[in-house]
């Protein structure tokens, strides 16, 4: 399954609490079968979008014996969701309310959640404010402590001047930027990543997010002490939790996942070899591990 296979889902537009239009992919699968269990809601990273989860969503929604309805979201200002004229709204509090608006619109009182990077930070906010909506939680390469070296990498990557001229160039740039951390990827995997990250206009790759988000990262003072989210993490204590960490991640340290496991003794910790920030969830044995976690929770 490739990320340019635009099938298997219903595209929806849902208004946020302030009226901004949010784009959602709804992988309903066999509705009679998927109705038997809470859906899976996938929240992407800082500048990423619902396409990151396309292959995983198909694997979960089309599973022959235990399918899940899967909902993937473009956060405001990313992908096909509207860009916000008020740039200060690109923050965790507003984006958390957006997730709750989507759940309300789709009449979902509780769900299994997968949060990659920024999406996982949103889940920390939900754990502190609305833990009742969290059936299970999977945090993909994110936790209560963010490493400055990882944030610096993200900031610098988002603000580099080099722009891709075409699809092949986009693949080359991604490999140059991330190849040392993602040594397990095939050429097709890099092509998939390019299709997931970039939008294409007349064959030319363009960034698929509001540039104001990168500007926010550039303004981040990484010399100042970074606040942690251990207080919010406590909200997960009664919720089945899985933490996925890329072996080569610079954002989520092994010491942090160790502490997460100590504070949440029932947590499942899975380290993905030859991947960095953030692991690609449809590769290798990760889908089977996710299904096993969901079915056992």
């Amino acid at each position: 399954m490739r990320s340019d296979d635009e099938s298997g889902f219903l595209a929806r537009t849902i208004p946020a609490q302030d009226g901004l239009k949010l784009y959602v992919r709804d992988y309903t699968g066999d509705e009679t079968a998927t109705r038997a269990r809470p859906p899976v809601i996938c929240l992407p990273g800082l500048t990423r979008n619902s396409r990151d989860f396309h292959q995983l969503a198909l694997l979960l929604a089309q599973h022959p014996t235990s399918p899940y309805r899967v909902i993937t979201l473009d956060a405001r200002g990313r992908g096909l969701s509207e860009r916000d004229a008020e740039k200060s709204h690109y923050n965790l509090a507003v984006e958390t309310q957006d997730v709750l608006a989507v759940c309300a619109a789709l009449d979902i009182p509780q769900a299994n959640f997968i949060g990659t990077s920024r999406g996982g930070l949103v889940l920390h906010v939900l754990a502190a404010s609305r833990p009742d909506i969290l059936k299970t939680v999977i945090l993909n390469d994110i936790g209560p402590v963010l490493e400055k070296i990882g944030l610096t990498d993200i900031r610098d990557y988002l603000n580099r001047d080099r722009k891709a001229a075409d699809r092949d160039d986009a693949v080359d740039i991604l490999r140059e930027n991330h190849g040392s951390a993602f040594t397990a990827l095939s050429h097709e995997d890099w092509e998939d990543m390019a299709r997931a990250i970039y939008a294409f206009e007349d064959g030319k790759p363009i960034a698929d997010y509001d540039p104001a988000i990168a500007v926010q990262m550039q303004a981040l003072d990484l010399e100042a002490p970074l606040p942690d989210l251990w207080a919010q993490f406590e909200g997960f204590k009664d919720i089945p939790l899985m933490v996925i960490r890329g072996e080569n991640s610079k954002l989520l340290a092994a010491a942090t996942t160790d502490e997460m496991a100590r504070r949440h003794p029932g947590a499942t910790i899975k380290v993905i070899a030859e991947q960095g920030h953030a692991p690609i969830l449809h590769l290798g044995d990760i889908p089977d591990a996710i299904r096993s976690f969901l079915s056992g929770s």
Side-chain angles (χ1 to χ4, degrees), residues 56-129:
L56 176 68
L58 291 175
L59 290 170
L60 293 175
Q62 298 176 4
H63 192 267
T65 59
S66 56
Y68 286 84
R69 179 187 183 188
V70 181
I71 294 152
T72 67
L73 172 66
D74 287 357
R76 64 174 59 213
R78 290 83 158 178
L80 295 178
S81 288
E82 278 190 316
R83 297 185 178 186
D84 199 322
E86 179 48 69
K87 305 308 179 185
S88 67
H89 289 172
Y90 296 132
N91 66 65
L92 290 177
V94 172
E95 290 165 25
T96 299
Q97 290 303 311
D98 289 346
V99 173
L100 292 174
V102 168
C103 290
L106 297 179
D107 194 24
I108 297 173
Q110 191 176 60
N112 305 287
F113 282 86
I114 301 175
T116 293
S117 195
R118 173 82 159 207
L121 297 181
V122 169
L123 294 180
H124 279 73
V125 179
L126 283 173
S129 59

Side-chain angles (χ1 to χ4, degrees), residues 49-295:
N49 58 72
S50 58
R51 296 192 298 275
D52 271 347
F53 298 103
H54 179 62
Q55 291 98 318
L56 176 68
L58 291 175
L59 290 170
L60 293 175
Q62 298 176 4
H63 192 267
T65 59
S66 56
Y68 286 84
R69 179 187 183 188
V70 181
I71 294 152
T72 67
L73 172 66
D74 287 357
R76 64 174 59 213
R78 290 83 158 178
L80 295 178
S81 288
E82 278 190 316
R83 297 185 178 186
D84 199 322
E86 179 48 69
K87 305 308 179 185
S88 67
H89 289 172
Y90 296 132
N91 66 65
L92 290 177
V94 172
E95 290 165 25
T96 299
Q97 290 303 311
D98 289 346
V99 173
L100 292 174
V102 168
C103 290
L106 297 179
D107 194 24
I108 297 173
Q110 191 176 60
N112 305 287
F113 282 86
I114 301 175
T116 293
S117 195
R118 173 82 159 207
L121 297 181
V122 169
L123 294 180
H124 279 73
V125 179
L126 283 173
S129 59
R130 284 291 309 277
D132 58 291
I133 206 168
L134 305 174
K135 170 69 172 174
T136 67
V137 169
I138 299 174
L139 299 175
N140 183 21
D141 214 63
I142 196 69
V145 177
L146 306 181
E147 299 301 312
K148 288 186 178 182
I149 187 173
L151 288 171
T152 300
D153 274 1
I154 293 170
R155 180 194 65 188
D156 293 348
Y157 166 66
L158 293 179
N159 288 281
R160 288 189 181 124
D161 291 333
R162 183 178 172 193
K163 307 299 181 186
D166 54 31
R167 290 175 185 267
D168 290 340
D169 195 30
V171 170
D172 290 341
I173 290 173
L174 289 175
R175 188 184 282 114
E176 289 168 11
N177 287 329
H178 307 296
S180 62
F182 288 86
T183 55
L185 300 195
S186 67
H187 182 71
E188 182 176 293
D189 294 330
W190 288 110
E191 289 181 325
D192 263 349
M193 186 187 291
R195 282 188 288 267
I197 290 177
Y198 290 99
F200 290 89
E201 292 185 357
D202 299 323
K204 184 175 181 179
I206 58 171
D208 205 11
Y209 58 88
D210 190 331
I213 296 167
V215 172
Q216 281 185 347
M217 278 297 297
Q218 188 65 35
L220 189 63
D221 181 7
L222 295 178
E223 299 304 316
L226 296 175
D228 64 53
L229 295 176
W230 286 119
Q232 290 81 1
F233 183 81
E234 287 300 309
F236 294 127
K237 64 182 179 181
D238 296 323
I239 299 166
L241 177 68
M242 180 179 189
V243 181
I244 297 172
R245 178 181 178 270
E247 178 186 39
N248 301 323
S249 176
K250 294 181 181 179
L251 190 70
L252 180 63
T256 300
T257 58
D258 290 345
E259 181 64 12
M260 293 164 78
R262 189 189 72 79
R263 296 192 187 208
H264 193 310
T268 298
I269 309 294
K270 184 172 180 60
V271 179
I272 310 302
E274 299 184 87
Q275 291 208 53
H277 180 76
I280 299 170
L281 297 181
H282 62 268
L283 296 182
D285 68 345
I286 305 176
D288 288 339
I290 289 173
R291 272 197 298 263
S292 177
F293 169 75
L294 293 174
S295 64

